[in-house]
Amino acid sequence: MPGNPNETKLVNFAMANGTRRKIINFLANGYRSTGELEKIIGTTTLDFHLNILQQAGLIELEEGTVKLSEYGRKFLKNKTGKSEEKNADFSQAKPVEIAEIRQLSPCIADLSRLRVSANMLPPLGGILKLLEPLFPRSNYLDRKDSLIIQKGEIITTIYGSGKISIRMIKNEDEAKEVLESLKSTINEAIAKGVAPTPREKVRVELMEIYKYLPQTNCGKCSEQGCYSFAIKLMARQVTLDRCTLLKEPQYANNQEHLQILTSYI
Ligand code: SF4
């Protein structure tokens, strides 16, 4: 049963994918044949997904049938319980307002663009993580209590404390537009009184990953170049931290984009 950090990583990785979440939910009512799973998932990638779920200790495979392992059942029960708890909290949430923009400064990654700080009131606190499904490209980070949202070149980070940071903005008007749209999306969800339903993440393409790599082909990641590194990232054979150039300040923006994108692979 997963317990140590590496095993927890395997579970997080397994459950970060929409198809695998679908399989786990499908198995909630009992075992299924691989034929049944093929009908909902498709034949081409079923073995790949089952293999990852098995490595994470969430399922057991036996002679053409698939079932949740004991750990998988506990995991699902725990998750369902938590989500019911969270829905109750969500119904208490108050509509938010954007307090005035506090700071405009040049982005480190691109001096022609701006970085903007603002505040959201009241702070979203515990419901912040529940808002992730509202944004097709977003990622909630527990350790920072922050929701990072990617839309085109713009990266917006909302913190549980209410602080908002937006990068790669052209001017103050664009910042106001982004903040207004953020406020409406969140308030629409709050008005409904229930947490948004988790949905499939947007598919990530190889060229999107490649676009945000430094493209120096320096080889420091031990690959032939950035394109090879992108292929291995897509196959989950390497992790982002192997590209040490991304840690340099001028690539801070690229790194954030890649962190969001790789969380959908
Ligand atoms: S270390 Fe980064 S920049 Fe250098 S080749 Fe690898 S992916 Fe490209």
Side-chain angles (χ1 to χ4, degrees):
M1 181 184 295
N4 73 39
N6 280 342
E7 288 165 340
T8 305
K9 245 185 188 174
L10 282 177
V11 174
N12 289 342
F13 169 55
M15 296 308 290
N17 176 279
T19 303
R20 294 194 283 273
R21 286 198 296 274
K22 208 188 238 180
I23 295 174
I24 289 291
N25 288 329
F26 194 54
L27 295 174
N29 296 326
Y31 72 87
R32 302 281 177 175
S33 68
T34 46
E36 283 176 285
L37 287 168
E38 274 172 6
K39 281 184 196 150
I40 54 163
I41 308 300
T43 47
T44 43
T45 56
L46 183 62
D47 280 350
F48 168 75
H49 290 302
L50 291 182
N51 195 17
I52 290 174
L53 289 169
Q54 194 179 24
Q55 278 173 16
L58 291 161
I59 61 164
E60 287 170 9
L61 286 161
E62 209 174 291
E63 293 174 3
T65 61
V66 189
K67 64 174 184 179
L68 289 176
S69 64
E70 196 191 332
Y71 173 73
R73 278 195 299 277
K74 281 186 187 160
F75 176 86
L76 199 62
K77 199 173 159 201
N78 191 22
K79 230 170 168 275
T80 312
K82 274 187 185 163
S83 113
E84 278 162 7
E85 226 174 79
K86 284 170 183 173
N87 283 349
D89 287 341
F90 200 89
S91 66
Q92 306 298 316
K94 303 263 182 301
V96 294
E97 280 300 328
I98 305 290
E100 115 192 85
I101 294 173
R102 283 182 290 117
Q103 198 186 345
L104 290 160
S105 50
C107 275
I108 305 168
D110 181 346
L111 296 176
S112 68
R113 299 286 181 122
L114 296 170
R115 183 185 182 119
V116 173
S117 292
N119 237 358
M120 186 174 275
L121 292 171
L124 290 162
I127 71 152
L128 179 62
K129 65 177 82 171
L130 305 181
L131 299 177
E132 196 189 74
L134 288 179
F135 307 97
R137 285 273 166 93
S138 62
N139 193 16
Y140 176 77
L141 300 177
D142 247 322
R143 79 198 140 82
K144 291 189 178 170
D145 187 22
S146 63
L147 179 66
I148 305 178
I149 303 159
Q150 180 200 27
K151 195 170 180 193
E153 293 302 308
I154 299 172
I155 292 184
T156 305
T157 309
I158 312 175
Y159 296 87
S161 63
K163 186 185 159 199
I164 305 174
S165 158
I166 314 175
R167 289 189 194 189
M168 299 295 278
I169 282 285
K170 285 188 206 131
N171 50 44
E172 190 168 349
D173 284 345
E174 189 177 51
K176 283 180 182 159
E177 256 173 53
V178 171
L179 288 166
E180 197 48 44
S181 151
L182 202 60
K183 184 181 94 173
S184 320
T185 309
I186 293 173
N187 282 346
E188 265 172 41
I190 288 176
K192 287 184 189 155
V194 285
T197 322
R199 63 178 182 196
E200 299 266 325
K201 302 269 187 183
V202 174
R203 198 179 148 76
V204 175
E205 304 294 339
L206 171 67
M207 288 314 285
E208 247 181 311
I209 297 275
Y210 175 67
K211 178 179 147 192
Y212 288 108
L213 286 171
Q215 300 186 17
T216 64
N217 297 324
C218 69
K220 286 183 184 163
C221 54
S222 308
E223 301 302 327
Q224 280 183 344
C226 299
Y227 193 73
S228 312
F229 186 71
I231 292 173
K232 291 216 170 160
L233 270 177
M234 287 292 285
R236 309 284 308 191
Q237 289 169 347
V238 293
T239 50
L240 210 51
D241 55 7
R242 284 261 299 272
C243 174
T244 48
L245 254 69
L246 286 171
K247 296 191 173 85
E248 293 180 8
Q250 72 265 36
Y251 295 118
N253 209 40
N254 298 47
Q255 192 181 29
E256 278 197 5
H257 276 287
L258 285 165
Q259 271 167 352
I260 300 174
L261 293 174
T262 51
S263 73
Y264 302 155
I265 296 171

